[in-house]
Amino acid sequence: MQWSQIKEQTAWNDRKDEAERLAKEAELLKLRHQLQPHFLFNSLNSINALIVAEPKEARKMVQQLSAFLRGTINTDHALIDFAKELEHVQLYLEIEKVRFGHRLMVNLTIDDSALPLKLPPLLLQPLMENAIKFGLYGTTEDVLIDVHAKYSGGFLEISISNPIDADVSTQQGTRFGLKAIMRRLYLIYGRDDLLTTHNSENTFVATLKVPQQS
Amino acid sequence: MIKAIIIDDEPLSISVTKEYLQHYRDIEVVGECNDGFRALKMIAELKPDLIFLDVQMPKITGLEMLELIDADELPAIIFTTAFEEYALKAFENNAVDYLLKPYSQERFDLAMERLRSRPRMKQNDVQQLTSSHSSSRIVLRDNGQIRIIALKDIRFIEADDDYVKIYCSEGVFMKKVTLKYYENALPSELFLRVHRSTMVNVNYITRIEPYEKTSHLAILSTGDKLQVSKSGYQLLKEVLGI
C-alpha cells in the first residue's frame, strides 16, 4: 500500500471511530435522560394539592423536585462517587414518599466501604424507580424497598429488592427501566452480566455490580 | 344527592379532587380508595353515581377494573390520569371525560358540566375503550375472586354464547365479552382467530393436520385439538410462514 493510501485509511478509521464514539455518547445520554413523565406530572399534581393545604410542604417539594431535575440534566460523563449518587437518590425518595405516603418504605443499608466507590452517574436512581414502580403496582399492600450496597471483590455491589405478588402478571412497562440500564452498562463496560435479577415467590431482587479500577 | 367515589393510589391526588368538589353541594364523596380491588368492593356496596378513576394503580389498572363492574352497576366515570401513552385517543371518542394531572378547577368544572349533559358510559363503551388499550394480560372474575392471567399462559379462547371460555394453565375461566372483542384487544401476532368460535395462541401450536374436506386441526403442545376453518388456515399460513 502507498504511504498516502495508508494515511487516508488511517484518517478514515479515525473518523469512523469518532463517529462511533459520538453515536455511543448520544445513546448513553439518551438512555440516561429517560425521565418518566408519570413521575413528573404526578409530582406536579402533588404540589398542586399541597399549595392550598400545606403551602410550606408545597414549597419544599418544589425545591426538591428542582434539585432532582437539575441532577438529571447534568451532562458530565465522568464517574462519580457512590455517596454523590446516593444524595440524588435521596432527593428522589423524598418526593416519592410525599406522593405515596406511608405505603412506601425504603431501607438503605450502605456499608461505609461503598461510599467512595465510583459509578456512572444516574445509574442507581432508575434502578430505584423501577423497584418502586414494580413494588407499588405489583401489590396493594405496603411496599418495603430494601437497598444494600458494599464493596465486594473489585466491584461496587448494590442490590435492590421489592415485594411482588405471585399472582400478578406485571403491568406493561415495568421491565423497560432494567433494559435501558443493561444497555448503558454494556455501552460503558462492554459486559452484559453486570445487572442480574432474581425472582422468588414474594420478592424481586436486582443486583448491580460496577467494576472498580484497582 | 349525587354519590361519588374517588379512586387513586396517591392520597394527595384524592385531596385535590375533594378540594375542587367543595363547590358542588349536590355531590357527596361517599368513599375513597387506593386500588381497584378495594374500589370494586366499594362500588358494589355503596353504588355510587359517579367515580373519579386513576388509570395506573396497584395490581389492576383503572381500565381493567371497569371491565369487572357489572353492567347495571356502572357509574358515570371521569378519568384522572397523569400520562397515558395509548388511551387518550380512545377517551376522546367516548362518552366520558378525562382530566390530565395536574388539572385546574376550571377544567374540572368543565368535566362536571359535560358529565351532566352527556349520556352515561355503557358497558359497550367500556369495552371499546379497553379493547383499544392493548394489554399483556386478561383480568376476570372467577367465583368472586379476581384473576390476572398472563397472555402467555393462555392456550386458546372459545366463544360460548355471550361469554368466552379462556383455557389457561390454571384452568378454564369465563368472561362476558365477545370473541370479536379479543380480536381487537389481543396482539394479532400472538392470538389468531382460526375458527368462527376459536382464537388460539400460536406459541402452543405444534402441528396442523388436515381434517375432513376443507378444514384442518391445530394440535397444541398440551394435546388440545382445535378445528381450523378455511380462512383460519390461510391466516395461520401467513403468520407462521408455512
Side-chain angles (χ1 to χ4, degrees), chain A residues 70 140 143 175 177 205:
Chain A
R70 202 164 283 129
T140 54
V143 172
R175 308 256 177 171
V205 188

Side-chain angles (χ1 to χ4, degrees), chain A residues 37-38 41-42 44-46 48-50 52 98-100 103 136-140 165 167-172, chain B residues 9-13 15-16 19-20 35 38 56-59 61 82-83 101-103 134 136-137 148 150:
Chain A
H38 257 287
F41 290 123
N42 279 315
L44 289 171
N45 197 48
S46 298
N48 195 35
L50 289 168
V52 171
V98 175
R99 285 179 57 199
F100 294 103
R103 239 198 107 203
L136 286 171
Y137 297 127
T139 166
T140 54
D165 263 14
D167 66 322
V168 173
S169 131
T170 48
Q171 295 181 20
Q172 278 169 327
Chain B
D9 63 331
E10 298 192 28
L12 283 171
S13 186
S15 68
V16 175
E19 188 202 318
Y20 289 169
D35 65 77
R38 291 187 178 94
Q56 197 171 27
M57 285 193 299
K59 287 187 84 167
T61 68
F83 183 75
K101 298 172 185 175
Y103 43 86
S134 114
S136 58
R137 55 192 198 176
I148 302 170

Side-chain angles (χ1 to χ4, degrees), chain A:
Chain A
M1 221 188 292
Q2 296 277 316
W3 171 241
S4 63
Q5 272 182 309
I6 293 171
K7 233 169 68 174
E8 218 171 273
Q9 186 70 30
T10 315
W12 187 83
N13 277 341
D14 284 351
R15 278 203 306 280
K16 194 168 153 256
D17 286 350
E18 175 71 2
E20 273 169 7
R21 191 183 60 80
L22 285 174
K24 192 172 133 183
E25 257 177 32
E27 191 186 350
L28 275 170
L29 205 65
K30 207 177 132 217
L31 284 170
R32 227 167 68 168
H33 289 177
Q34 269 157 355
L35 184 69
Q36 300 294 322
H38 257 287
F39 169 74
L40 187 55
F41 290 123
N42 279 315
S43 299
L44 289 171
N45 197 48
S46 298
I47 293 168
N48 195 35
L50 289 168
I51 283 174
V52 171
E54 296 173 74
K56 279 195 177 142
E57 284 299 308
R59 178 168 285 181
K60 191 172 145 199
M61 196 166 171
V62 167
Q63 281 149 4
Q64 282 166 338
L65 188 60
S66 307
F68 173 76
L69 291 176
R70 202 164 283 129
T72 62
I73 54 176
N74 170 21
T75 53
D76 199 351
H77 284 286
L79 297 178
I80 60 164
D81 286 356
F82 178 61
K84 184 109 195 283
E85 178 75 359
L86 208 53
E87 273 175 38
H88 182 70
V89 164
Q90 299 275 22
L91 274 173
Y92 169 71
L93 290 177
E94 290 301 317
I95 296 166
E96 292 291 67
K97 279 182 189 162
V98 175
R99 285 179 57 199
F100 294 103
H102 59 81
R103 239 198 107 203
L104 174 65
M105 287 163 295
V106 180
N107 256 350
L108 294 170
T109 312
I110 311 294
D111 199 288
D112 283 343
S113 65
L115 293 173
L117 301 182
K118 305 286 183 192
L119 80 168
L122 303 176
L123 201 57
L124 184 56
Q125 184 271 329
L127 216 48
M128 292 294 295
E129 183 161 1
N130 207 65
I132 287 176
K133 251 171 77 173
F134 209 163
L136 286 171
Y137 297 127
T139 166
T140 54
E141 307 303 312
D142 287 348
V143 172
L144 173 69
I145 309 285
D146 241 323
V147 183
H148 290 264
K150 60 172 192 232
Y151 176 78
S152 170
F155 292 91
L156 164 60
E157 193 180 302
I158 307 168
S159 72
I160 302 178
S161 74
N162 60 268
I164 43 167
D165 263 14
D167 66 322
V168 173
S169 131
T170 48
Q171 295 181 20
Q172 278 169 327
T174 32
R175 308 256 177 171
F176 175 76
L178 293 183
K179 275 196 186 144
I181 295 166
M182 280 179 190
R183 179 76 186 144
R184 267 188 78 192
L185 288 166
Y186 180 76
L187 288 173
I188 297 169
Y189 297 104
R191 292 173 61 163
D192 56 10
D193 59 344
L194 297 175
L195 181 64
T196 51
T197 60
H198 179 74
N199 239 334
S200 70
E201 201 183 335
N202 300 313
T203 343
F204 179 87
V205 188
T207 306
L208 170 70
K209 291 171 88 175
V210 186
Q212 302 296 306
Q213 276 175 349
S214 42

